[in-house]
Amino acid sequence: DLAQGCSSSPHLCRSLQRAERGASGGLLIVPLLAMSEEYRAKSNHALLVKDDVGKSKPTVYTLPPEGHAYGLTHPPDQEGAREVTMHWAAHVPRRKPGAECQDFRKLNRLAAQSGVTNASQLADWRTTNDVKLVSKGPAGSMPKVIPSDVIPSFAYGKKSRPSTPIASVMGNHYGLEQEELLNFQYKKLSDSPSGKRVVKMTAASTRQIEHARSARQLIDNPPPPKEHFKMAKFKNVPGKIAAEQLGRSPMRSASLPNL
C-alpha cells in the first residue's frame, strides 16, 4: 500500500518518508528528518520559506516588477500650488434682485385676499397678475468709502521689510561705499587750512563739561556762609551765663566732673 501510494503521489512520499530495498529484499522505510533548503525556497509557502541573515524574508507571492507603483492613481490637478499662491480669485457677489423680478411676498398676500386656496389656483392667478419688485432705499447709515473703493490696487496691512539685496552684499558694494566715504573725509581734513579736526560733542558730554565748570566755579568763588536758623524773637537776646564765668572750656560739658 505504501509503495502504491508513493507511485501515485511521489511528492507526498518525498515529503513524508523514503522507501528503500534492504539486503533481504524487504521494503525498508527510512523517514526523512528535514526538508532541503532548496525545496523550502521553491515551495512558496509562507511558513517554510526562510530568510537569510541581514536580509528581508523573500516573498511567496507573485509581485509586479520593480518599477511598479502601488496605490490609487489620481488624475493631475489643473490648478497646482503655483496657480493658487500666485493668482487671487476675487469674490464675485451674487446678483441682487432688480426691478424685473417679481415680489412673491406681495403676490401671495394679494392671492390670499382674492380667495386663492391651493397651488393650482395660485398658478392660474399669477398668469393674470404681475407685481414687480420695488427696490428699497438704503437702511441705516450710508456705506463708508474705504481706500480700495477709490484705488483698486490699494493694499492693507503693515508693510513688510524689503528683501535683502544679495547682489550688493556679495559684490561688496557697501564696503566700497564706506571706503570712498572715509577717503573723502580724510581728504577734506587734510585740505582744511587749520588742519584741526573738530570733534562733535554729544549731549551727555556737553552736560558733563557744564557740570565740571560749575563745580570749579564753586571752589574758586565759594558763596558766603549761611546764617544758622534762629527764631526771630531770640535773635537779639544775649546769653545770661558765659562759658568763661564757669571756668570751663566752651567745648566742655557742664556736667563733666573735674578730672
Side-chain angles (χ1 to χ4, degrees):
D1 295 338
L2 182 59
Q4 184 178 1
C6 289
S7 61
S8 62
S9 181
H11 296 285
L12 178 62
C13 185
R14 283 199 301 269
S15 62
L16 297 178
Q17 56 188 1
R18 183 177 63 211
E20 295 182 355
R21 291 286 180 178
S24 60
L27 187 61
L28 181 62
I29 299 175
V30 180
L32 294 178
L33 299 178
M35 295 182 182
S36 63
E37 298 297 335
E38 184 179 359
Y39 178 76
R40 287 175 179 271
K42 295 180 180 180
S43 63
N44 289 335
H45 195 283
L47 300 178
L48 299 180
V49 175
K50 289 187 176 182
D51 55 342
D52 295 337
V53 178
K55 296 182 179 179
S56 60
K57 193 171 184 179
T59 180
V60 296
Y61 305 101
T62 304
L63 301 178
E66 295 182 358
H68 180 76
Y70 296 89
L72 180 63
T73 303
H74 293 279
D77 193 358
Q78 299 297 331
E79 187 179 20
R82 181 176 64 87
E83 289 77 12
V84 172
T85 55
M86 301 300 294
H87 300 281
W88 180 262
H91 171 66
V92 179
R94 185 179 61 180
R95 182 174 175 270
K96 295 182 179 180
E100 68 276 3
C101 299
Q102 291 185 346
D103 192 350
F104 294 100
R105 293 184 178 179
K106 193 171 183 179
L107 279 173
N108 295 335
R109 191 181 302 111
L110 294 176
Q113 293 175 2
S114 301
V116 177
T117 57
N118 52 35
S120 60
Q121 294 178 5
L122 178 61
D124 296 338
W125 186 84
R126 287 177 58 183
T127 56
T128 57
N129 297 273
D130 187 13
V131 179
K132 296 298 182 180
L133 181 65
V134 179
S135 59
K136 298 181 180 179
S141 60
M142 297 296 293
K144 296 182 179 180
V145 179
I146 58 178
S148 58
D149 295 340
V150 182
I151 306 175
S153 60
F154 185 84
Y156 297 92
K158 186 178 180 181
K159 187 177 180 180
S160 60
R161 183 183 65 85
S163 59
T164 304
I166 300 299
S168 300
V169 174
M170 301 301 295
N172 196 24
H173 293 175
Y174 300 108
L176 297 177
E177 290 179 2
Q178 291 298 323
E179 289 181 2
E180 293 179 359
L181 180 61
L182 287 176
N183 293 333
F184 175 77
Q185 292 178 355
Y186 291 148
K187 185 178 180 180
K188 183 179 178 181
L189 181 62
S190 61
D191 295 342
S192 61
S194 61
K196 297 181 179 180
R197 184 179 179 182
V198 179
V199 179
K200 186 177 181 180
M201 306 297 292
T202 61
S205 61
T206 305
R207 289 194 300 268
Q208 187 176 5
I209 293 174
E210 291 178 357
H211 295 335
R213 290 176 179 174
S214 301
R216 184 64 182 177
Q217 290 178 0
L218 290 176
I219 295 174
D220 296 340
N221 302 318
K226 187 177 180 181
E227 185 181 1
H228 296 288
F229 173 77
K230 186 182 292 186
M231 297 180 67
K233 63 181 180 179
F234 295 115
K235 282 185 178 180
N236 299 324
V237 178
K240 295 182 179 181
I241 300 176
E244 291 79 3
Q245 297 177 1
L246 297 176
R248 297 185 178 91
S249 175
M251 301 300 296
R252 185 181 179 89
S253 176
S255 61
L256 185 66
N258 294 325
L259 298 178

